[in-house]
Each structure stands twice: as structure tokens, then as C-alpha cells.
Amino acid sequence: MTNLTILQLNDLHGYVEPHSELRRDAHGDFQFAQMGGLARIKTLFDQARQENPGGVIALDNGDTFHGTHFAVQDRARAMVPLINALGFDAMTLHWEFAYGPERVAEISSELAHPMLAANIFCEDSSELFMPPSTIIERNGVRVGIVGLACPIVDKTMPPSFSKGLRFVTGNAELPGHIARLRQDADLIVVLSHLGFPQDVQLAKDVAGIDVIVSGHTHNRMENAVVVNGAIIFQSGCHGSYVGRLDLDVSENRIQGWRHRLIPVDDSVASDPGLADAVAAALASERQSMSEVVGHTDVALHRYAMLNSPMDDLLLEAVAEAAGTPIAFSNGWRYGAPIAPGPIMMNDLWNMVPVDPPVSVVDVTGWEIREMLEENLERTFASDPYEQMGGYIKRMRGVRLVFKAENDKGRRIDRLYIDGAQIEESARYTAAFITAQGVPAKFGANRRKLPISAIEALRRRLARPWGGAEDAESSSTELI
């Protein structure tokens, strides 16, 4: 019997040092804690390698190099050496494409491990953008690893992210890669950034997968699941947790397994060398990012599907900057929670790391309804492969009442704009940030204002934040 250990880090989003996080206590209530940090993660990785010499595979699901000021300010150049120190064996990707395909290729060349994606093709051809797979041998067991990047990049994200590329789900391509790898590999691992619902469907659709290391949807899975013989697990986000799967392998089969979701909290010592390297990398921005820019009386987070207090603040700032009662933004999942108390500049960059301009657009009531029906479909589609969002679109001045179980295009039950029932022929002026807030196909007279999202937040935080003042007219309700 041979023991293999698979270590997972998914959806780091640029968080290289301990940060504020929400975790549930023994009673199920959220409490704040300082979690994460690459130096602590290295300690956990090193401990696993000591416990199982020659038997550890470390995998990164992507969304690694984007999401904080530190990550975006130099397009991940200072971050790559810190990630290399963890000794990963492979990664796949998603938000890395915010820097464009050329920079993604550069990051791939700078990493000590391969980027894998069997589902990204050069536009109008069958040529893959990067290697689809690799084989790693550990303790005499050969493990074939296939990467599946997030397939929504060319469907819901800005065109610059996917210029010259074509993304597919990968379910149709995967059987061929498994058959090819099975000629030399004992086990098949899929390193996926599709999302947990999509990975469950993938396991149902594609035979021959032993393990799916899942990412994208930020699931904190206390227990792995088995679907059609494939063990599936995922480990939260922001580096607050590390996933560990121990496998007992004999005769090219998994005979037993044990899974743990490991909190990266203050019980884990920091690796001194990597802690020093992280501190040195952050030194140039430490003072500017530590500036106190405001105060919140309530906890700010994005850990809710329908509404979130963090986006309530963001959208109030955007609406005030534009002078409109209506505002939209994407339902992003990333962004570390902020405890009641001071808000620092670093928190604003964590909230909206692309710092887009505030924009306005004229949209009809019909367009708003169509836009929200599209968003609900991408969030609650009965076919998991059609789920392409984060959370539900965030809104200010809009009250949405819907039924998630209804079919495509028929989920909205009631829709109100600025306290009154929507008029489909009326034209409304709405503020928004990024094309994910209001996609380009909706509205007219689209224009950018000379103020960015972070500056809008700074201006709003000149007054303390006590929570949304218009909860009745700005809400999303599931019935």
C-alpha cells in the first residue's frame, strides 16, 4: 500500500499575509479571526512533506495572482517568487486573465510549476493555449493531472481578458485526455476551476476520474464527496484554509482516503524565511495601504448570495459619485471581510482591486428586467455548466423579488425601481462599475465619469458607515 497526499490551495486572490476572516464557531455563528498567509501555508506544506516523504502533490486551483493591491499593482511580478516558495506541482487559472493572455503566458514562464488548461484554445483553431496535463510520479505512483480553467472568461468578463482565445467547459475534451494519460498514469486527478456544482456534474458525465480538486466557488468543504467514483473537495478562499486528501493506493486503485479542511489560523507557525520575503515584498506599500480612510459600525463581507453589506457600501459610494439613485455591480465572491472599526486603504483595494471608473448608462425598465433575468439564470441555471456568475448582481435602488426554482427568463416575481414598480418603457439612469455590472449589450449613452471606485469609496467614508439606509428599496428577496 502506498500513501499519497494531495495538498490544495484554491482562490487565494492575492492574499499573501494573514488577514481578517469570518469563520463559524462551535454554535455556527460567524466570528472574526486572523487567517491565511503564505508563510503559514508553507509550514503546513512542509509538515505534510515531512510526514509523507516523496509522497506529496501540491496543487493550486488558480485565482491566485489577482485580488489585492499587492497583486495587481505590478501584475503579479512580486508575487510569483512567493508562490514559487510553496513548491506547487501544477495550477490552473481564472482571474489571472485580468492581465491579458500575454501576461498570463509570462507568468507561466516565471513559475516553477506548469499552468494547465485543457479547455482554452487559440481563437478559430484547435491549438491549445497551454499544456493540458502533466504526469507526476510520487512514491512509485504515476498521477496524471488535467487542468480545467474557468470557462466563463470569454463569456461574462471584459474582452481584453480573452483576446485571441476561446474557452470551453472541457467536459467534451476530458475523456480524450483521460484515455491518453491512462496509458502511463495510475491515477487521474482533475485540477478544476469550473466550480463545485460544475465539478459534480463533470464527475457524473465523465468516467475514469479518481480525484477532482475543485475551485472557483469558494466552498469550505469540511467533508469531501464521492460522485461516480471521483473524490471531490474544495477549500474556501483567500488562503484561509488548506485542503488535504490522503490516499491509500494499491494496484493502481484508491483503496482508502481521508480528507481534512485545515484552518490556516494562529495555531500554525509562520515559516521564518517566507515570512521575511513577504514582509520585504510588501514594504513599499505598507504605509500607503495602512492609511485609515473611514469607519464602519457593522461587519462588511460578501458571504451571502442575495445581498452583502460590503456591496451595500460600495454601491452607495458609486451612486453618490454619479448622482443617481440606481447602481449596479457584479456579485463578486472575493474580498476579505472587514470587522467593525477602522477601514484602511488596503480594505478598499481588497473590495474592488481593479479600481474601475464609475460609469453611468441609460437603461429601459425592460432592459433592467432582461439583465436581471440573465443574471439569475447564470446564478441558478438547472444545468450546472450554465452557471457562470458569482453571487446575484448587487443593486442599489432596485428591489428584486424572485423564485429561484422557475425556469430561464421567468424567475422575477416583482421588480421595483427607486421604490416604485418598474415601468418597462421608462428610461432610467443607472451608475455601475465594470462591464460585469451592466453588460455592454444593455443601455445607451454609456459614459465614464472622472472618478474611480476607490475614490468614490473614500468620499463616502468621510461619513461613518452604519449600514444601508434604504434596505426596503434596495434588496433581493427569494420567495
Side-chain angles (χ1 to χ4, degrees), residues 77-266:
R77 286 177 174 82
M79 192 175 169
V80 168
L82 305 178
I83 293 297
N84 280 339
L86 296 177
F88 285 107
D89 293 293
M91 74 171 288
T92 192
L93 61 170
H94 174 206
W95 266 98
E96 286 73 18
F97 280 101
Y99 307 127
E102 289 185 8
R103 177 60 189 144
V104 169
E106 290 176 356
I107 293 173
S108 180
S109 69
E110 294 163 7
L111 288 169
H113 52 276
M115 282 183 168
L116 304 178
N119 59 333
I120 307 176
F121 296 90
C122 297
E123 202 169 40
D124 301 324
S125 83
S126 59
E127 181 183 354
L128 285 166
F129 176 60
M130 56 183 52
S133 62
T134 188
I135 294 179
I136 296 170
E137 184 170 341
R138 293 289 186 269
N139 286 343
V141 177
R142 292 173 63 80
V143 180
I145 301 171
V146 184
L148 292 178
C150 188
I152 71 172
V153 177
D154 63 344
K155 301 169 183 65
T156 70
M157 306 185 85
S160 63
F161 287 26
S162 58
K163 185 177 180 181
L165 299 178
R166 175 172 57 89
F167 291 69
V168 299
T169 302
N171 54 321
E173 291 74 16
L174 188 57
H177 291 291
I178 291 175
R180 172 178 53 81
L181 289 169
R182 280 291 184 190
Q183 298 176 21
D184 299 299
D186 304 309
L187 300 178
I188 298 296
V189 173
V190 176
L191 177 58
S192 167
H193 203 98
L194 301 186
F196 179 69
Q198 294 87 340
D199 288 329
V200 169
Q201 188 64 46
L202 186 74
K204 293 177 181 178
D205 292 345
V206 180
I209 304 171
D210 294 296
V211 177
I212 300 179
V213 183
S214 179
H216 181 54
T217 42
H218 296 196
N219 296 58
R220 295 180 187 175
M221 294 181 62
E222 296 281 355
N223 300 291
V225 300
V226 179
V227 178
N228 194 22
I231 305 166
I232 308 174
F233 68 107
Q234 193 178 133
S235 308
C237 61
H238 301 149
S240 298
Y241 295 86
V242 163
R244 176 169 173 166
L245 181 68
D246 288 285
L247 304 173
D248 299 320
V249 181
S250 178
E251 298 179 352
N252 303 337
R253 294 176 59 86
I254 296 173
Q255 307 292 344
W257 58 273
R258 298 160 299 284
H259 168 256
R260 292 167 56 199
L261 180 68
I262 305 172
V264 185
D265 56 21
D266 57 11

Side-chain angles (χ1 to χ4, degrees), residues 205-390:
D205 292 345
V206 180
I209 304 171
D210 294 296
V211 177
I212 300 179
V213 183
S214 179
H216 181 54
T217 42
H218 296 196
N219 296 58
R220 295 180 187 175
M221 294 181 62
E222 296 281 355
N223 300 291
V225 300
V226 179
V227 178
N228 194 22
I231 305 166
I232 308 174
F233 68 107
Q234 193 178 133
S235 308
C237 61
H238 301 149
S240 298
Y241 295 86
V242 163
R244 176 169 173 166
L245 181 68
D246 288 285
L247 304 173
D248 299 320
V249 181
S250 178
E251 298 179 352
N252 303 337
R253 294 176 59 86
I254 296 173
Q255 307 292 344
W257 58 273
R258 298 160 299 284
H259 168 256
R260 292 167 56 199
L261 180 68
I262 305 172
V264 185
D265 56 21
D266 57 11
S267 69
V268 180
S270 293
D271 175 82
L274 189 50
D276 288 346
V278 169
L282 290 169
S284 63
E285 68 171 45
R286 185 73 72 187
Q287 183 174 353
S288 62
M289 290 297 107
S290 298
E291 177 190 357
V292 176
V293 295
H295 187 280
T296 178
D297 296 329
V298 299
L300 303 178
H301 66 82
R302 284 181 169 141
Y303 292 167
M305 173 62 76
L306 303 184
N307 304 281
S308 80
M310 182 176 287
D311 290 307
D312 290 341
L313 168 59
L314 174 61
L315 286 178
E316 184 165 313
V318 168
E320 284 190 5
T324 65
I326 306 167
F328 296 99
S329 73
N330 189 52
W332 292 302
R333 281 186 280 255
Y334 60 68
I338 304 168
I343 299 175
M344 295 186 293
M345 177 61 78
N346 192 58
D347 296 318
L348 304 189
W349 280 95
N350 293 347
M351 202 182 301
V352 55
V354 293
D355 191 23
V358 175
S359 298
V360 291
V361 64
D362 298 329
V363 285
T364 65
W366 180 86
E367 286 177 309
I368 291 174
R369 181 183 292 275
E370 288 296 300
M371 178 176 70
L372 295 181
E373 284 283 10
E374 179 182 273
N375 177 248
L376 291 170
E377 170 65 13
R378 287 178 168 176
T379 307
F380 297 108
S382 58
D383 178 355
Y385 296 144
E386 295 300 317
Q387 295 177 15
M388 299 184 192

